[in-house]
């Protein structure tokens, strides 16, 4: 009887943990060479989409070292659909509070900031979507950004 209870408890815990996990369908980072992001360098993410029935949240993630000279990061974001249509946007990510305290998570000299870019989006057709990130700061070579990433989570219904 004790073993049955233990198995039932373990199954319940696994189901509970699975239900609490976000429904991440895609998450990838691109490393910025030598933490020096040239204005002409693009971080390109190819995202295979098969689910056109659910809505999703789209996050942009940034890893910066604590020697990064700014409190924010401007990005040019392009999303291209499988049929070639594209949408371009400017997006600002705040990396530090006005006091100078870094907002990202992490220990030591590297902080990771995850920011919701678009909430409750849907993909109208299946296929490969391309998300391109380009730094939009005033410097041609932006020092202190080590990685940029994209995460897509299925919205819980």
């Amino acid at each position: 009887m004790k073993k049955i209870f233990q198995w039932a408890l373990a199954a319940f815990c696994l189901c509970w943990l699975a239900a609490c996990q976000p429904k991440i369908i895609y998450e990838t980072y691109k490393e910025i060479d030598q933490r020096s992001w040239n204005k002409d360098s693009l971080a390109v993410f190819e995202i295979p989409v098969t689910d056109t029935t659910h809505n999703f949240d789209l996050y942009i993630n940034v890893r910066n070292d604590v020697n990064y000279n700014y409190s924010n990061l401007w990005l040019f974001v392009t999303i291209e659909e499988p049929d070639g249509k594209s949408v371009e946007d400017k997006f600002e990510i705040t990396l530090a509070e006005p006091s100078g305290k870094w907002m990202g998570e992490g220990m030591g000299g590297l902080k990771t900031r995850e920011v919701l870019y678009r909430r409750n989006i849907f993909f109208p057709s299946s296929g490969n979507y391309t998300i391109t990130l380009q730094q939009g700061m005033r410097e041609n070579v932006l020092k202190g950004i080590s990685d940029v990433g994209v995460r897509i989570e299925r919205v819980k219904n």
Side-chain angles (χ1 to χ4, degrees):
M1 187 69 158
K2 185 176 179 182
K3 286 192 182 235
I4 292 173
F5 175 75
Q6 288 174 337
W7 279 105
L9 182 60
F12 171 77
C13 289
L14 284 174
C15 290
W16 181 73
L17 285 173
C20 292
Q21 295 297 316
K23 306 294 185 199
I24 297 174
I25 67 159
Y26 180 88
E27 183 171 31
T28 300
Y29 281 86
K30 301 288 181 174
E31 184 179 354
I32 304 300
D33 190 33
Q34 298 180 9
R35 296 184 182 178
S36 297
W37 196 359
N38 191 301
K39 196 170 271 238
D40 296 333
S41 298
L42 305 176
V44 180
F45 303 87
E46 295 287 333
I47 304 163
V49 172
T50 57
D51 185 351
T52 60
T53 61
H54 290 94
N55 288 1
F56 301 89
D57 290 337
L58 173 57
Y59 292 82
I60 296 177
N61 305 331
V62 175
R63 289 189 183 126
N64 65 284
D65 67 42
V66 294
N67 295 319
Y68 181 66
N69 288 328
Y70 304 99
S71 63
N72 67 338
L73 173 65
W74 278 99
L75 296 172
F76 297 119
V77 181
T78 304
I79 302 174
E80 185 177 340
E81 297 180 14
D83 64 4
K85 287 191 284 187
S86 65
V87 177
E88 296 179 2
D89 194 12
K90 288 182 270 188
F91 184 63
E92 180 184 20
I93 297 177
T94 303
L95 299 173
E97 296 174 2
S99 66
K101 180 182 177 211
W102 294 108
M103 298 173 79
E105 299 293 321
M107 299 178 74
L110 200 61
K111 301 296 180 185
T112 301
R113 178 93 161 106
E114 301 176 345
V115 180
L116 181 63
Y117 171 65
R118 292 285 180 258
R119 180 183 307 277
N120 223 16
I121 64 170
F122 74 97
F123 297 105
S125 58
S126 61
N128 286 330
Y129 286 73
T130 303
I131 297 177
T132 304
L133 303 178
Q134 180 181 20
Q135 67 102 338
M137 300 295 280
R138 292 184 180 154
E139 291 189 26
N140 285 331
V141 178
L142 185 62
K143 296 190 181 296
I145 301 295
S146 74
D147 304 90
V148 291
V150 170
R151 182 174 78 238
I152 299 174
E153 295 180 3
R154 193 170 108 191
V155 174
K156 296 175 187 174
N157 295 335

